[in-house]
Amino acid sequence: EVYLVESGGDLVKPGGSLRLSCSASSFNFSIAWMNWVRQAPGKGLEWVGRIRSKTDGGTTDYAAPVKDRFSISRDDSKNTLYLHMNSLKTEDTAVYYCTTQRGFFDLWGRGTLVTVSS
Amino acid sequence: DIVMTQSPDSLTVSLGERATINCKSSQSVFYSSNSKNYLAWYQHKPGQPPMLLISWASTRESGVPDRFSGSGSGTDFTLTISSLQAEDLAVYYCQQYYSAPWTFGQGTKVEIK
């Protein structure tokens, strides 16, 4: 069975940094385009950012609220996706999901909770 | 950015009855070169990750019960649950993947009467 497992969520103070990881299993991670999607408490789903496969350039795109603060990277040798979050704000509090993308988001992890609070 | 607007925000339906959720995009998500609508529907149950139900506006994912169907084109789309079951209690989201940033509707909460 294919799956994604996120980790790294924590309580962090405003202005702080955090790195989330997403471990992939049972599919060819290296050719997958990977995304992060978040859900703030009581809110809907919000796309955060994407990284293409290395064969497709390995480039990234970000949503406006996180651009210049968040970055996405991948280690295909470890089948792992990362979300590097800097200058965190209270409004970044959310469950963060990693997803595969074939246009639409077809495989989702169970998410990891990030809480930004003083 | 393409804005996705769902209606209603919540829906209460009796078991066995039909549930209909509408989704409108601020611009067309139909790509004429391949005649496809870049529109997906997800089901999100409490404590679980979202699950892809329908892609390309009307293509049901493998394993999704056939009581779920999607329709529409251009800017107006509908998700229909033909005969609501207890396990369908969830929030449903539409999402466009026509152009970045990928955007979701605000969600429609389906409750059982």
Side-chain angles (χ1 to χ4, degrees):
Chain A
E1 184 180 349
V2 298
Y3 58 89
L4 299 168
V5 179
E6 302 90 340
S7 61
D10 205 347
L11 170 63
V12 61
K13 288 181 167 49
S17 299
L18 200 61
R19 187 186 77 168
L20 305 184
S21 300
C22 171
S23 177
S25 298
S26 303
F27 67 95
N28 193 344
F29 178 79
S30 66
I31 63 171
W33 290 25
M34 299 298 298
N35 289 250
W36 290 95
V37 174
R38 67 184 180 183
Q39 183 177 36
K43 302 293 186 182
L45 300 171
E46 179 186 28
W47 174 72
V48 172
R50 170 186 68 186
I51 186 166
R52 296 171 177 79
S53 63
K54 284 195 166 51
T55 55
D56 290 316
T59 52
T60 53
D61 301 286
Y62 300 96
V66 307
K67 193 173 167 58
D68 300 326
R69 298 189 300 121
F70 290 11
S71 65
I72 298 173
S73 64
R74 62 191 300 159
D75 185 338
D76 292 344
S77 69
K78 295 182 179 178
N79 287 346
T80 301
L81 175 74
Y82 300 101
L83 178 64
H84 310 265
M85 302 185 292
N86 298 313
S87 303
L88 281 160
K89 304 176 181 180
T90 55
E91 52 263 41
D92 295 320
T93 294
V95 174
Y96 285 75
Y97 299 97
C98 65
T99 80
T100 56
Q101 182 181 22
R102 291 188 289 134
F104 42 85
F105 303 125
D106 48 349
L107 177 64
W108 297 66
R110 298 195 72 86
T112 188
L113 176 62
V114 173
T115 303
V116 185
S117 174
S118 55
Chain B
D1 298 3
I2 298 177
V3 177
M4 308 299 290
T5 304
Q6 291 180 228
S7 61
D9 290 334
S10 64
L11 190 58
T12 304
V13 178
S14 300
L15 291 175
E17 295 299 305
R18 178 185 299 259
T20 302
I21 300 169
N22 300 301
C23 173
K24 189 173 184 67
S25 57
S26 61
Q27 65 187 74
S28 176
V29 298
F30 178 75
Y31 195 37
S32 56
S33 66
N34 60 6
S35 297
K36 286 182 177 288
N37 286 284
Y38 285 57
L39 189 285
W41 288 97
Y42 302 86
Q43 177 190 65
H44 195 188
K45 295 182 179 181
Q48 297 185 22
M51 183 180 80
L52 176 66
L53 292 175
I54 288 171
S55 58
W56 308 115
S58 60
T59 301
R60 198 182 307 115
E61 286 297 294
S62 174
V64 173
D66 60 7
R67 63 181 181 273
F68 291 93
S69 64
S71 63
S73 184
T75 61
D76 293 281
F77 301 90
T78 300
L79 174 70
T80 301
I81 310 173
S82 60
S83 176
L84 193 75
Q85 304 299 303
E87 61 264 32
D88 300 335
L89 170 70
V91 178
Y92 293 83
Y93 294 93
C94 61
Q95 179 242 335
Q96 65 80 20
Y97 47 101
Y98 180 86
S99 68
W102 324 120
T103 46
F104 294 85
Q106 79 277 18
T108 296
K109 186 174 185 179
V110 173
E111 298 175 295
I112 311 297
K113 188 182 291 183

